[in-house]
Amino acid sequence: MNRSIIMVFLLLISGIITACSNGGSEQASVDIIEATPGKIRLYSVTAKGYIMSEKVIKTETEWRKLLSREQYHVTREKGTEQPFTGDTWNNHEQGIYQCIGCGNDLYSSEHKYESGTGWPSFTQPIAPENITTRPDNSFFTRRTEVICSRCDAHLGHVFEDGPKPAGLRYCMNSAAMKFVK
C-alpha cells in the first residue's frame, strides 16, 4: 500500500479518536480552559530572563482568523506538515524560533541540528517552562507530544534518539513556529 495513503488513513483515525475522546465537542474543552486562566512563568530572550505571562486563550474562530489553514491544522488539530517542505527545516541562520500562535520563545538556533527527518530538530528548548509535554498514543504508537506552554499549540514531538549528552530530538513542525533573526 502507498505510504501516503497509509499516512492519510492514520490521520483520519487519529482525528476520529480525538473527536470521540473530546465527546465530539472542542468547545467544551475551551470553556473549561477559559474558566481557569492564569499566569505562567516563561523565559524571554528579549527580557534576558524569566517573565510572568498570561495564558493565551482564543476561540476556534479567533485561531482560524489568526493562522493560515496549514498553521491551524498543525497547531490546533495536531496535524503534521509534509517532511522537507516547511519554511524552517533547512534554515541555518542564527535566531529564535517562536510559537506562531502567541510568540512564545521556543527554541534557539544554537540547539538546532540536522536530523535527516525533514523537520526542524532541536536538542533542547529555550527553557523547560516554555514547552509542555504529554503522552501521545495516536497512530498506534507511543510518543511524547510537545505543546506551547502559553497557548497550548501542538508543536511536534520529542524522541529519545537525539545527539548526546541529553539524547533528545525535539522534532517540530515549521508551520507551528516563526523564525526571528
Side-chain angles (χ1 to χ4, degrees):
M1 186 179 270
N2 185 318
R3 188 175 187 168
S4 297
I5 293 171
I6 293 170
M7 287 301 293
V8 169
F9 174 74
L10 292 174
L11 286 170
L12 288 172
I13 295 296
S14 174
I16 292 167
I17 292 168
T18 301
C20 291
S21 68
N22 287 342
S25 173
E26 176 101 3
Q27 187 61 39
S29 63
V30 171
D31 291 341
I32 292 168
I33 293 170
E34 288 176 351
T36 58
K39 290 202 176 252
I40 57 172
R41 182 176 182 253
L42 300 172
Y43 184 84
S44 168
V45 172
T46 305
K48 296 181 181 165
Y50 285 91
I51 60 168
M52 293 304 289
S53 176
E54 294 286 333
K55 288 282 283 185
V56 173
I57 301 166
K58 297 183 182 301
T59 65
E60 181 179 334
T61 303
E62 290 171 321
W63 284 121
R64 286 188 185 276
K65 286 180 184 176
L66 175 70
L67 304 169
S68 73
R69 178 175 278 162
E70 181 179 37
Q71 290 167 341
Y72 181 87
H73 174 65
V74 168
T75 62
R76 308 320 301 176
E77 299 176 325
K78 299 183 182 186
T80 301
E81 66 199 5
Q82 291 294 313
F84 305 102
T85 62
D87 291 340
T88 61
W89 79 269
N90 199 26
N91 180 22
H92 300 285
E93 295 185 74
Q94 297 295 309
I96 302 299
Y97 294 82
Q98 296 177 330
C99 177
I100 198 71
C102 68
N104 181 21
D105 293 337
L106 300 170
Y107 299 95
S108 168
S109 60
E110 78 179 82
H111 298 121
K112 187 173 189 277
Y113 74 100
E114 294 300 324
S115 66
T117 62
W119 289 282
S121 296
F122 304 87
T123 57
Q124 66 185 52
I126 290 266
E129 295 86 353
N130 290 31
I131 62 164
T132 303
T133 60
R134 61 182 170 206
D136 176 0
N137 297 319
S138 62
F139 298 118
F140 309 104
T141 63
R142 288 188 175 185
R143 301 180 294 177
T144 302
E145 179 186 15
V146 178
I147 62 171
C148 173
S149 291
R150 189 165 182 232
C151 71
D152 296 328
H154 169 79
L155 304 171
H157 294 88
V158 61
F159 301 95
E160 295 180 354
D161 61 0
K164 294 183 190 263
L168 298 176
R169 174 174 53 97
Y170 289 85
C171 187
M172 302 294 101
N173 287 284
S174 288
M177 301 181 297
K178 62 183 173 183
F179 178 75
V180 179
K181 291 183 183 182

